[in-house]
Amino acid sequence: MTKKLTILDIAKLAGVGKSTVSRVLNNDHRVKDETRTLVQSVIAQHGFSPSKSAQSMRARRSRLIGVIVARLDSSAENVAVSGILSALYAQGYDAAIMESQFDVDLTAEHIEVLKRRNADGVIMFGFSEFDVAQLSPFEGRCVVMAVDTDRFSSVSYDNWGAVEQLMTHFHGKGFRHISYLGVTPKDLTTGKVRLDSYLSFCESHDLTPVWNIAEVSLDSGYQVTDSLIRPETQAVVCASDTLALGAGKRLQDIGRTDIRIGGIGNHQLLRFVFPQSISVDLGYRQAGNAAAKQLLAQIENQDKTKHCHFLQPSKLLITE
């Protein structure tokens, strides 16, 4: 009985290394054309057929992508995930969706699980306390969303521009008493950048800032709204549509329907419940789709040095 050839046998016959044969079998673009032709001719000559299971192990391809969101109840992240899944499913990949809950230790556990499951890559929704170095097991095979980083590919949102658009809109209507409802500045993106944008606009336009922070929930937005309201208040700009919904309900309950509401996120419910509200679309779905396509390009091309940054333009949606 003729002994079945192995990759090592093919390597010896072709005069190349075992790893080179493996790269040829996995269509690695880094193999020179002449070397590829040589190895393929030896394979054809000897009728070599690699074990599918062994080939899969060598390629380390599970066709599974880990998607670690910060909060499963975040409408913005859910919209982004829909864009991610659309791109992954189109290319035959599955997704394992996990929730970090802004917990560094829990995030580390998720990354370890994905490593053990031999996930092909990770899309991570970053947060302020998260150290991107935790993603080192997936070096060259990960994309970070919401938080910009030079180490890995990342997808950023126009947080500053979103608030600036809302303020510009209300200021253009002649409003000079605009309050702001945000989240903790410890959150460097949704929190600090959006608050800084509001304060900067107030300073440059000689407006008196009136602001407070809340948890990202309807109830918290409802409870904090009273602290922002003055007899002269004309509008409340909110760091998210969730907060805007809570604030809108409170304004309705206290009879201040004269106060306009601005949010960020393009949540359909906000403009359905409060038709005169406005919202900024940060392009969450497009950003998720871009992140998934970037990750798949890195996986398919085995490019471990590419660092790309996508800044989705914000778009003000007005229903008044």
Side-chain angles (χ1 to χ4, degrees), residues 15 56 68-69 86 94 99 125 131 141 147 171 203 216 246 266 286:
S56 176
I68 304 177
V69 302
S86 175
D94 290 323
E99 183 184 37
F125 286 76
D131 182 359
R141 296 182 292 128
V147 175
H171 190 268
E203 181 179 5
V216 186
N266 187 26
Q286 297 92 322

Side-chain angles (χ1 to χ4, degrees), residues 107-179:
T107 300
E109 292 176 13
H110 290 333
I111 294 172
E112 183 59 31
V113 168
L114 292 170
K115 181 181 176 182
R116 290 199 302 267
R117 292 186 62 181
N118 195 32
D120 287 337
V122 175
I123 296 175
M124 168 81 195
F125 286 76
F127 52 94
S128 299
E129 290 77 16
F130 175 68
D131 182 359
V132 295
Q134 286 186 285
L135 287 168
S136 57
F138 291 92
E139 187 89 34
R141 296 182 292 128
C142 66
V143 175
V144 180
M145 295 196 65
V147 175
D148 198 21
T149 169
D150 290 328
R151 177 165 180 177
F152 304 117
S153 295
S154 61
V155 175
S156 305
Y157 302 125
D158 188 6
N159 293 291
W160 184 283
V163 172
E164 189 172 56
Q165 282 194 61
L166 291 169
M167 294 295 292
T168 299
H169 172 77
F170 287 134
H171 190 268
K173 285 186 165 295
F175 293 0
R176 298 298 181 264
H177 303 283
I178 308 169
S179 298

Side-chain angles (χ1 to χ4, degrees), residues 35-230:
T35 302
R36 186 187 304 278
T37 300
L38 171 61
V39 172
Q40 289 175 338
S41 66
V42 172
I43 289 174
Q45 180 182 350
H46 294 274
F48 173 71
S49 179
S51 163
K52 289 186 177 180
S53 60
Q55 190 175 21
S56 176
M57 289 178 65
R58 284 191 299 274
R60 293 181 60 82
R61 300 293 292 278
S62 62
R63 303 201 75 78
L64 174 70
I65 301 298
V67 180
I68 304 177
V69 302
R71 294 169 44 239
L72 286 171
D73 62 350
S74 167
S75 60
E77 291 189 11
N78 283 333
V79 173
V81 168
S82 71
I84 291 171
L85 296 181
S86 175
L88 295 183
Y89 292 160
Q91 297 301 317
Y93 283 81
D94 290 323
I97 300 177
M98 301 171 165
E99 183 184 37
S100 71
Q101 300 175 357
F102 301 102
D103 187 305
V104 174
D105 294 333
L106 183 58
T107 300
E109 292 176 13
H110 290 333
I111 294 172
E112 183 59 31
V113 168
L114 292 170
K115 181 181 176 182
R116 290 199 302 267
R117 292 186 62 181
N118 195 32
D120 287 337
V122 175
I123 296 175
M124 168 81 195
F125 286 76
F127 52 94
S128 299
E129 290 77 16
F130 175 68
D131 182 359
V132 295
Q134 286 186 285
L135 287 168
S136 57
F138 291 92
E139 187 89 34
R141 296 182 292 128
C142 66
V143 175
V144 180
M145 295 196 65
V147 175
D148 198 21
T149 169
D150 290 328
R151 177 165 180 177
F152 304 117
S153 295
S154 61
V155 175
S156 305
Y157 302 125
D158 188 6
N159 293 291
W160 184 283
V163 172
E164 189 172 56
Q165 282 194 61
L166 291 169
M167 294 295 292
T168 299
H169 172 77
F170 287 134
H171 190 268
K173 285 186 165 295
F175 293 0
R176 298 298 181 264
H177 303 283
I178 308 169
S179 298
Y180 178 76
L181 178 57
V183 299
T184 174
K186 291 182 180 179
D187 181 323
L188 300 181
T189 53
T190 304
K192 188 176 188 304
V193 174
R194 294 183 187 182
L195 173 59
D196 286 349
S197 179
Y198 167 76
L199 295 175
S200 175
F201 190 95
C202 287
E203 181 179 5
S204 62
H205 291 78
D206 197 26
L207 305 181
T208 300
V210 178
W211 62 279
N212 205 342
I213 61 174
E215 300 294 327
V216 186
S217 70
L218 295 172
D219 183 64
S220 185
Y222 182 94
Q223 297 296 334
V224 175
T225 296
D226 282 1
S227 67
L228 305 172
I229 304 307
R230 308 286 187 273

Side-chain angles (χ1 to χ4, degrees), residues 294-314:
Q294 172 60 31
L295 177 61
L296 294 180
Q298 292 177 200
I299 293 172
E300 298 295 338
N301 297 325
Q302 298 183 5
D303 186 343
K304 302 185 183 302
T305 60
K306 191 170 186 178
H307 304 296
C308 297
H309 304 274
F310 300 88
L311 184 63
Q312 296 298 319
S314 55

